[in-house]
Amino acid sequence: MPLRASPLTRIVSLVAAVSAATFAVATTPSLAGARAADAAATRMAGHEPPGATMQEFIVKYRSGSRARLDADSLHQALREAEAGFAQAAGLRRVRRVSTGADVIRADRALDRAEALALMRRIASDPQVEYVVPNGKAQAALSPNDSRYSELWAFHDYDAGSNTGEAWNLGNGSGAVVAVIDTGIVAHSDLNANVLPGYDFIASTWRSRDNDARDANPLDEGDWVAANECYAGHGAGASGWHGTHVAGTVAAVGNNRSGVIGAAYGARIVPVRVLGRCGGDFSDIIDAITWASGGYVPGVPANPNPAEAINLSLLGAGVCDAATQDAINGAIARGVAVVVAAGNGNADAGGFRPGNCNGAITVGASDADGRRSVWSGGYASNYGNAVDLAAPGSTILSTVGVGATKVAGEGYAYYNGTSMATPQVSGLIAMMQSLAVAPRTPAQIEALLKQTARRFPLANDRPIGAGILDAKAAMEAVRAANPAPASGKRRYFNDADVAIYDNATVESAIVVSGRSDAAPLTGTPVSLSIRHSYIGDLKVDLIAPDGSAYNLHNRGGGNADDIVKTVTVNLWGKPLNGTWRLRVNDNYSNDTGWIDSWSIEF
């Protein structure tokens, strides 16, 4: 008869039955167990992640075992495994993988000794088939967008922004970037990530419409002679500038087509301020206010205030009080204002709004990691006003094609600090999406500078603290996030709420301070509803996002009272927010009250 496998043999992988049998014949049981333990420990070392700590493990319980079939039994098994630890590990199941194994997460990082001890304790359970660390792959997400290889700025090892590797931590989902520019044109690689915008160009002579489209008006007899534009503005079309910028921020990702945006999970609000002959700062001021959620007289409120405002534009001169006032307002609302340094090979301190206080001003670097210099004497502006650099040479993104109001779509390489700036704006969207509590604009600016990569080559002029490093910035945000709450908590409301005939009432529970999401194992909701005819009642749980989960649907006829616990699948729902118990009575003559209710996660 083969020996029963030592618990350690279940760590990492099982020894094949035939090998175990042979081993048992040739060796005494005690020596067999010791050798099996040594072999398992050696194999375990090869599977450990490179870091000094571990927090997630993959555990497979045997087919037919209670822990495999029943969430409560699994929970109990995990509690027993961590019993005796000086500090509880707070083990919980995150999800079940395709092999039938479960991803188990501790609520704190375990050092190597703790992790190995925990794995041994888990493996000592005869129900366990194996337990392995849930190691991290080091390669960055590899998008399938057909022209991703041409986006050197996202993945170049020496001079790029490390954006590709940052996607392992987040893609900006749920965040908004306002692109204050020439507007945009419809583009299949961008449309899905575009929210309603607004055209702030007050002059009807220069503005084509009121829906944030880039009209690029050269084709309809609208070519403007140089003497028709006032001093300081050139005549001509937009060149699809806003569309290119918007694509760099949030072109649709992983759609097997074209390019991908820096924050491809974020959304764009296009705000048009630049038309033929450029744009007025009065329009730009209104656009900054509106994009950040402020009030602009005569303009509908912005339903999607931004986390970051991208301003790939500039005008000569000191930062005037009016522009500074608008930027101060945006910052006070928690919105970062990101501005291009300019392309005139001059000191950025002479150009607004990049020289305004609180603006995050971005210079451009090339594929060698030096200050970008282009043909015709153009180069990235420089100086103390520049906070950091990002790749700004030969940047591929979305554009319109042709010169009509109903332009076609295409892609083009552009140069400029205008192309560097949206990479920073996109990263800010990613950072705020990852942050448990939003970072202030000042904190964002400090993080960007602190995590910037050193320039690989010396620069002839200063262009900030270094090159944008998206991965390092995201890691800094994650490290600053509070640790997940330990274990389950029960939240309850025992205030009586009267239930009247033919009426709907609600009782609320507010959950705060939780950074985790509802578990895969189900969420128990306990009810104590006193009523003399429960067949009249429909009872729903309403999540903070408005989703409804039915707990009782007019069953039970003339029975009294609903006193029960219902397990609801809320997997992945954020826990923070107001949870409501909604009770609807649809008949007369019988009434009651919500006595108490609770939710546990």
Side-chain angles (χ1 to χ4, degrees):
M1 176 179 179
L3 291 176
R4 179 181 178 181
S6 163
L8 282 177
T9 64
R10 287 191 291 274
I11 300 175
V12 179
S13 61
L14 287 177
V15 178
V18 63
S19 299
T22 304
F23 196 73
V25 171
T27 319
T28 64
S30 59
L31 182 57
R35 288 184 177 176
D38 290 342
T42 301
R43 292 192 299 272
M44 185 189 303
H47 284 266
E48 293 170 6
T53 61
M54 304 180 213
Q55 196 161 358
E56 287 191 348
F57 307 86
I58 302 173
V59 182
K60 187 173 184 181
Y61 288 85
R62 297 185 184 281
S63 179
S65 64
R66 293 184 59 127
R68 179 82 170 267
L69 299 174
D70 178 66
D72 289 338
S73 296
L74 171 61
H75 181 76
Q76 180 61 32
L78 296 178
R79 295 289 76 78
E80 292 174 358
E82 65 174 310
F85 272 64
Q87 180 182 355
L91 298 179
R92 60 185 175 87
R93 180 166 73 173
V94 177
R95 65 187 181 93
R96 176 155 287 176
V97 298
S98 58
T99 61
D102 296 300
V103 177
I104 305 300
R105 181 175 174 84
D107 67 3
R108 61 184 176 88
L110 307 177
D111 63 34
R112 193 174 298 274
E114 286 182 302
L116 295 179
L118 177 63
M119 292 171 70
R120 290 188 180 98
R121 289 183 67 91
I122 292 174
S124 69
D125 184 345
Q127 297 182 88
V128 173
E129 187 173 322
Y130 59 74
V131 50
V132 300
N134 189 16
K136 302 292 185 185
Q138 299 304 306
L141 179 148
S142 182
N144 60 26
D145 302 82
S146 59
R147 302 188 69 172
Y148 177 66
S149 63
E150 299 174 65
L151 304 179
W152 72 268
F154 290 170
H155 54 69
D156 183 83
Y157 180 78
D158 295 316
S161 61
N162 253 346
T163 297
E165 293 195 20
W167 291 330
N168 288 323
L169 300 175
N171 61 18
S173 177
V176 174
V177 177
V179 175
I180 298 180
D181 214 290
T182 65
I184 61 172
V185 292
H187 198 295
S188 62
D189 212 6
L190 187 58
N191 294 340
N193 284 345
V194 177
L195 295 168
Y198 200 80
D199 184 340
F200 274 92
I201 301 178
S203 166
T204 56
W205 176 76
R206 286 190 288 119
S207 180
R208 185 60 35 170
D209 48 57
N210 204 36
D211 61 2
R213 282 184 293 168
D214 184 344
N216 196 26
L218 293 190
D219 62 315
E220 298 176 10
D222 293 321
W223 176 264
V224 184
N227 61 4
E228 293 185 55
C229 290
Y230 52 86
H233 291 270
S238 71
W240 315 119
H241 189 272
T243 304
H244 196 280
V245 170
T248 302
V249 174
V252 177
N254 288 309
N255 62 344
R256 300 185 181 276
S257 176
V259 297
I260 184 173
Y264 65 90
R267 298 293 184 266
I268 294 294
V269 170
V271 187
R272 189 168 186 244
V273 297
L274 302 178
R276 54 187 181 182
C277 300
D280 294 338
F281 264 85
S282 57
D283 295 338
I284 294 168
I285 288 166
D286 278 348
I288 292 171
T289 301
W290 183 84
S292 61
Y295 169 69
V296 178
V299 176
N302 176 12
N304 302 292
E307 273 71 32
I309 293 174
N310 191 97
L311 290 158
S312 289
L313 51 80
L314 79 164
V318 299
C319 179
D320 59 277
T323 304
Q324 186 66 65
D325 196 16
I327 291 176
N328 290 346
I331 291 173
R333 297 179 195 101
V335 182
V337 180
V338 191
V339 185
N343 309 325
N345 196 20
D347 192 319
F351 298 88
R352 54 180 174 147
N355 57 7
C356 293
N357 293 332
I360 300 172
T361 304
V362 184
S365 55
D366 63 19
D368 292 323
R370 289 182 292 206
R371 183 171 74 103
S372 290
V373 177
W374 307 289
S375 61
Y378 295 100
S380 172
N381 284 355
Y382 52 82
N384 293 334
V386 182
D387 294 301
L388 77 163
S393 293
T394 321
I395 304 300
L396 180 67
S397 188
T398 50
V399 294
V401 174
T404 68
K405 199 171 180 180
V406 287
E409 63 176 52
Y411 301 88
Y413 291 97
Y414 284 6
N415 296 315
T417 55
S418 286
M419 285 59 256
T421 304
Q423 295 174 59
V424 177
S425 300
L427 173 57
I428 293 172
M430 293 165 64
M431 293 167 72
Q432 296 289 44
S433 178
L434 178 65
V436 171
R439 303 297 191 262
T440 67
Q443 291 170 333
I444 288 289
E445 180 178 345
L447 275 176
L448 291 172
K449 292 178 179 179
Q450 291 164 8
T451 58
R453 303 166 66 185
R454 295 181 61 181
F455 293 102
L457 299 171
N459 273 308
D460 61 335
R461 301 293 182 116
I463 53 170
I467 299 173
L468 179 72
D469 190 331
K471 179 185 178 184
M474 291 286 279
E475 287 176 338
V477 170
R478 181 179 63 177
N481 280 340
S486 175
K488 283 188 174 183
R489 297 183 187 178
R490 183 170 174 263
Y491 301 85
F492 65 91
N493 186 336
D494 59 0
D496 291 352
V497 177
I499 302 171
Y500 303 104
D501 285 334
N502 293 299
T504 299
V505 298
E506 292 185 347
S507 174
I509 291 174
V510 177
V511 176
S512 62
R514 298 292 293 268
S515 60
D516 45 345
L520 174 67
T521 52
T523 298
V525 180
S526 297
L527 307 175
S528 178
I529 299 174
R530 305 301 174 177
H531 195 276
S532 54
Y533 201 103
I534 64 174
D536 292 353
L537 301 182
K538 181 174 183 287
V539 183
D540 294 308
L541 174 70
I542 310 299
D545 65 0
S547 304
Y549 301 86
N550 184 250
L551 308 178
H552 175 85
N553 195 16
R554 312 200 194 283
N558 61 358
D560 293 341
D561 303 336
I562 302 173
V563 180
K564 64 180 180 179
T565 297
V566 181
T567 299
V568 183
N569 180 10
L570 302 174
W571 182 38
K573 289 282 184 186
L575 303 187
N576 282 348
T578 300
W579 297 81
R580 292 170 291 146
L581 187 72
R582 178 179 295 166
V583 180
N584 169 256
D585 184 312
N586 74 336
Y587 206 72
S588 304
N589 302 324
D590 289 275
T591 59
W593 69 94
I594 301 173
D595 182 47
S596 66
W597 72 287
S598 68
I599 187 167
E600 183 178 357
F601 32 45

